[in-house]
Amino acid sequence: MGFSPQSEFLRVMQMRGYVDNCTNSEELDRILLAGPVPAYIGFDATASSLHVGSLIQIMMLRWLQRSGHKPIILMGGGTTKVGDPSFRAKERPLLSEAEIDENLTGIRRVFERFIRFGDGLTDAVMLNNADWLDSLNYLEFLRDIGRHFSVNRMLAFESVKSRLEREQTLSFLEFNYMILQSYDFLVLNREWGCRLQMGGSDQWGNIVNGVDLIRRFEGSSSFGLTTPLLTTAKGDKMGKTADGAVWLNPELRTPYEYWQFWRNTEDADLHRFLLLFTELDAAECERLGNPENPEINEAKAVLADMATELAHGKDAARESRQTAESVFGFGEAGSALPSYDVQKEEIEAGFPVTQALVRTGLAESGKAARRLISGGAVRLNGKAVADTSIMLSSADFEKPAILSASRKRHAVLRLAG
């Protein structure tokens, strides 16, 4: 945006680095100043949880509500059946109705921790586009909606063009996705007065099509705002690690593991992540995120505290930090670490450390466990495990034993029976 916005929402978005592109930003700014504006972001139900890669959009909705506007979370119960082709190398696997419904339930739990729902003017609502897409008459839809879409223009959008240039198949099913997403915006505009659609930069073409469709049908202005593609300073995609996706639901990624993900932020990413993923004052984000900050590790712990509090609550954030401090100090095992029982009979019969690694999920197999040990990645109660044939003894359990695989992955073993 090449101007200084007056509305609180756009000022926050610009100052904190959320904006990549925006349609008619000055008019949008005026509308945001005039009163509560309903705005939406869509999320397809491709998994039972969202991950950190979606967190920038979730935080946008949170700031939208804090700024006095109404968030609409649109779940793609219908569009999930098609699959968004944007910047993807291949078609998404198609899910059953039961799988989609189960995923919708899991995703709803994510939003309930970030956003206030209810019947008030600025309370959030969650809708499902299957409610109107499932009942569409195909021929009527083609005649009434499809005729407004130019194939030439659709092929020119970068999300489609990049797929075709790589000579990767784009199915007709996927090609329909942007028409369905545009229709979603039209429905929300008509039924909920929605004026703004937000999303990642890969959604720009889909959003612009929706803005154009509303203009054609309703003769009114609507708006689109996208966020930049988020990668780490190393160029890695946000939300992915060597251990897999950083999920936002605790049964898929424990609060402690989530805390550790943020604590391991690179110095070069700290200032940006504080702005995007916490609600700290911008000046404090700049102070903490300064690479010359002599207490930068504590600043990373602050990021981890605040990000974990938003996703899992104050108690989980506090327990996660206490666990991290105890693990790295190798004192009492913290309550946030995953815990596993070992029976006395197992110890007496001989319980190999390789078996302990597999039981706790720190290694996928005995072979993987031996490889971790040979690589010097395994520690028991803070001491390196150098021999793959080591057996755990009762002496290892004077306190709950902490088994570690690398600096980031830990589990507690407790002697039972």
Side-chain angles (χ1 to χ4, degrees):
M1 292 184 294
F3 77 109
S4 297
Q6 300 302 305
S7 63
E8 181 184 357
F9 178 64
L10 282 190
R11 279 194 289 107
V12 169
M13 292 295 97
Q14 186 179 69
M15 176 180 61
R16 301 184 81 96
Y18 284 94
V19 179
D20 177 63
N21 214 336
C22 184
T23 65
N24 203 343
S25 53
E26 294 189 26
E27 185 181 352
L28 174 59
D29 192 43
R30 288 193 294 272
I31 288 173
L32 289 165
L33 280 170
V37 172
Y40 96 95
I41 300 179
F43 300 86
D44 279 345
T46 54
S48 61
S49 173
L50 299 176
H51 58 64
V52 165
S54 297
L55 189 55
I56 189 170
Q57 276 78 46
I58 296 172
M59 291 299 294
M60 288 176 80
L61 290 167
R62 184 176 172 89
W63 280 112
L64 180 83
Q65 189 171 58
R66 286 192 59 177
S67 303
H69 304 285
K70 188 179 187 69
I72 298 174
I73 296 103
L74 181 63
M75 299 311 306
T79 43
T80 300
K81 299 170 187 174
V82 175
D84 184 2
S86 299
F87 294 100
R88 293 185 60 82
K90 58 184 179 180
E91 189 172 3
R92 288 185 185 274
L94 298 181
L95 302 179
S96 68
E97 295 268 4
E99 289 172 320
I100 291 172
D101 288 343
E102 184 177 347
N103 290 346
L104 290 174
T105 300
I107 292 171
R108 166 110 193 180
R109 289 169 44 222
V110 172
F111 284 102
E112 287 172 343
R113 295 191 290 271
F114 285 89
I115 297 168
R116 184 185 70 255
F117 288 85
D119 298 323
L121 192 61
T122 62
D123 287 340
V125 294
M126 180 174 284
L127 307 175
N128 184 345
N129 63 13
D131 291 343
W132 53 84
L133 294 182
D134 281 0
S135 59
L136 282 177
N137 178 296
Y138 185 59
L139 290 178
E140 288 181 4
F141 183 73
L142 285 179
R143 183 192 64 200
D144 297 340
I145 304 298
R147 66 189 179 90
H148 293 289
F149 288 81
S150 161
V151 171
N152 303 62
R153 188 183 185 209
M154 293 166 74
L155 289 172
F157 284 120
E158 189 60 34
S159 58
V160 174
K161 188 166 63 173
S162 62
R163 179 92 160 256
L164 297 178
E165 286 176 349
R166 295 193 299 268
E167 297 184 355
Q168 293 163 334
T169 300
L170 178 69
S171 72
F172 180 71
L173 181 69
E174 293 176 287
F175 195 59
N176 276 271
Y177 188 95
M178 68 174 67
I179 302 178
L180 295 175
Q181 184 172 329
S182 300
Y183 183 66
D184 284 343
F185 198 0
L186 177 62
V187 171
L188 294 176
N189 180 265
R190 286 172 168 173
E191 301 297 326
W192 291 85
C194 183
R195 303 293 301 276
L196 171 63
Q197 182 183 172
M198 302 182 292
S201 59
D202 60 332
Q203 297 298 308
W204 179 249
N206 297 350
I207 292 172
V208 169
N209 271 324
V211 168
D212 186 58
L213 192 65
I214 290 170
R215 179 185 58 78
R216 289 172 181 270
F217 271 82
E218 304 301 305
S220 60
S221 57
S222 57
F223 307 90
L225 189 155
T226 57
T227 60
L229 176 65
L230 195 60
T231 58
T232 67
K234 289 182 175 180
D236 298 328
K237 190 174 182 180
M238 189 67 181
K240 302 285 187 180
T241 70
D243 299 328
V246 183
W247 299 106
L248 297 175
N249 277 350
E251 65 273 13
L252 297 177
R253 171 79 60 159
T254 68
Y256 172 75
E257 293 170 326
Y258 189 78
W259 191 95
Q260 276 292 335
F261 167 78
W262 294 106
R263 169 59 182 81
N264 292 320
T265 294
E266 296 290 333
D267 293 5
D269 289 322
L270 183 56
H271 179 221
R272 184 166 52 118
F273 286 3
L274 284 164
L275 286 170
L276 292 172
F277 302 118
T278 79
E279 295 173 328
L280 280 173
D281 179 83
E284 181 66 359
C285 291
E286 184 174 3
R287 184 188 72 80
L288 290 171
N290 186 338
E292 303 302 319
N293 181 2
E295 298 182 352
I296 197 163
N297 287 331
E298 172 58 24
K300 293 178 184 179
V302 170
L303 168 64
D305 288 344
M306 302 200 77
T308 305
E309 181 178 327
L310 284 170
H312 300 295
K314 287 184 179 180
D315 290 344
R318 184 181 63 254
E319 289 175 5
S320 296
R321 181 188 271 242
Q322 289 172 348
T323 294
E325 290 171 350
S326 66
V327 166
F328 293 115
F330 299 105
E332 289 288 340
S335 60
L337 280 179
S339 179
Y340 303 85
D341 288 340
V342 178
Q343 302 299 319
K344 286 183 179 179
E345 293 79 4
E346 291 181 287
I347 297 297
E348 292 169 357
F351 190 72
V353 68
T354 51
Q355 186 176 336
L357 287 164
V358 174
R359 178 174 298 184
T360 56
L362 297 175
E364 295 179 355
S365 63
K367 182 178 180 181
R370 290 189 291 273
R371 187 165 59 245
L372 284 170
I373 293 169
S374 299
V378 177
R379 303 179 79 85
L380 179 63
N381 293 329
K383 297 180 180 178
V385 175
D387 189 342
T388 58
S389 64
I390 285 177
M391 301 284 179
L392 272 66
S393 70
S394 56
D396 296 317
F397 294 89
E398 290 180 2
K399 295 179 180 179
I402 299 176
L403 188 63
S404 306
S406 80
R407 293 187 302 111
K408 302 178 183 179
R409 303 172 62 225
H410 313 276
V412 174
L413 292 169
R414 301 181 187 275
L415 195 58

